[in-house]
Amino acid sequence: MARNQLLHRLGAVVLLMLGVAVAYYAAGLVGLTLQVVVEGAVVTPLWPPTGIALTCLLWFGLRIWPGIALGTLLVILAISPFRAHSLGILAGNSLAPICACLMLRRVGFRTELDRLRDGLALVFLGALAGMLISATVGAGVLLLSGQIPAEGFWPIWSAWWVGDAMGVLVVTPLLLVCRTVGRPVDLSPGRWVEAVCLVVSVAVVAYAVTRTPVSLLFLVFPLLMWAALRFQLLGAAPCVLIVSVLAISAATEGQGPFGGHGMLAVMSVLQALNGSAALTGLLLSAVVSEQTTVRRKIELACSELAEVVDRLVPGSGAARRWPPPQDKDL
């Protein structure tokens, strides 16, 4: 019996690893559709597999790391034949999300992302610090193997690092918030209409400002603030993804404010927009969620106190007067 249970658990873990590998590979194929070539190396402004890898590690633990390595291998084979330097890239891309996960666990990261400290930890430890590993190892291996010239190291390193970091900032919050929604969201009809209008507005405005030659990229930020304030991460994460995908598409096609500039200028503007959008949505959502949680705790404490007062002083009616009525649409 014990042996059968062990085999069953082992089989479940193997299937989980394969599922992670398939998800990583599929996300890699999506990311490669928006690739750019920097100094002869293929990089992407947004690399979704890093966000998927970190999310899976936070959900299922470090035991699924072979699935990440297998997914990385499949993506490498989809780009070019496997060579000696590919082993270093495989190691770096696998090690980066693992280290990011360990650092997040160290500081008590919560996947609900309902505290400002969790948002800051994901930004600075999960994205910026953790992805230094993949960028440094990947660009270093290409340099040592003679695949890129010495002067091309820093452009490739920066593009690699920012692409992996953006994958964490854009994809990880979206996946984490999707898991927290275990049932249909309890919103009034008016809030559903507002949500639909928000998504449509973000898509229309983002498409327009990334296709017009006039620099109007800042117009997306009021909409991202609207999403974060009204719907927290559940609304902000999809809107940030829409903005990032449309901006990357325009940049790779040389349209709108990205046209007529060199690769360095295009990448700088693109990553500044994507990074600012991700930080605005993530951190503002975390602040609003944390304040909402604190308010609910205070209301609960006041309600319990009112009940105690009502028991000590019968007839005071304190418990019946608390809590005050709340507007469900707020």
Side-chain angles (χ1 to χ4, degrees), residues 22 38 41 45 75 77 80 172 175 181 218 223 290 326:
V22 171
V38 179
V75 173
L77 294 177
S80 64
T172 297
L175 295 178
V181 183
F218 58 86
L223 296 176
E290 188 171 28
Q326 298 290 328

Side-chain angles (χ1 to χ4, degrees), residues 13-26 49 52-54 56-57 60-75 90 93-94 97-98:
V13 172
V14 171
L15 289 177
L16 185 59
M17 292 178 184
L18 293 177
V20 171
V22 171
Y24 191 104
Y25 176 66
I52 290 179
L54 180 57
C56 291
L57 289 170
F60 308 118
L62 299 178
R63 60 180 179 174
I64 55 94
W65 73 264
I68 298 174
L70 178 58
T72 305
L73 175 61
L74 294 176
V75 173
L90 173 62
N93 284 15
S94 302
I98 294 175

Side-chain angles (χ1 to χ4, degrees), residues 13-137:
V13 172
V14 171
L15 289 177
L16 185 59
M17 292 178 184
L18 293 177
V20 171
V22 171
Y24 191 104
Y25 176 66
L29 295 181
V30 173
L32 290 175
T33 60
L34 299 175
Q35 67 185 17
V36 295
V37 179
V38 179
E39 297 292 339
V42 177
V43 295
T44 58
L46 172 64
W47 188 237
T50 57
I52 290 179
L54 180 57
T55 304
C56 291
L57 289 170
L58 292 172
W59 282 346
F60 308 118
L62 299 178
R63 60 180 179 174
I64 55 94
W65 73 264
I68 298 174
L70 178 58
T72 305
L73 175 61
L74 294 176
V75 173
I76 292 175
L77 294 177
I79 298 175
S80 64
F82 193 86
R83 301 186 179 92
H85 68 270
S86 301
L87 187 61
I89 297 175
L90 173 62
N93 284 15
S94 302
L95 188 60
I98 294 175
C99 293
C101 178
L102 291 175
M103 288 189 290
L104 291 176
R105 285 185 174 182
R106 182 69 177 176
V107 299
F109 176 79
R110 289 181 6 187
T111 56
E112 291 81 3
L113 283 174
D114 56 355
R115 302 178 301 177
L116 178 60
R117 59 178 294 185
D118 297 324
L120 293 173
L122 184 63
V123 172
F124 291 102
L125 298 180
L128 302 183
M131 298 307 114
L132 287 172
I133 299 174
S134 56
T136 303
V137 173

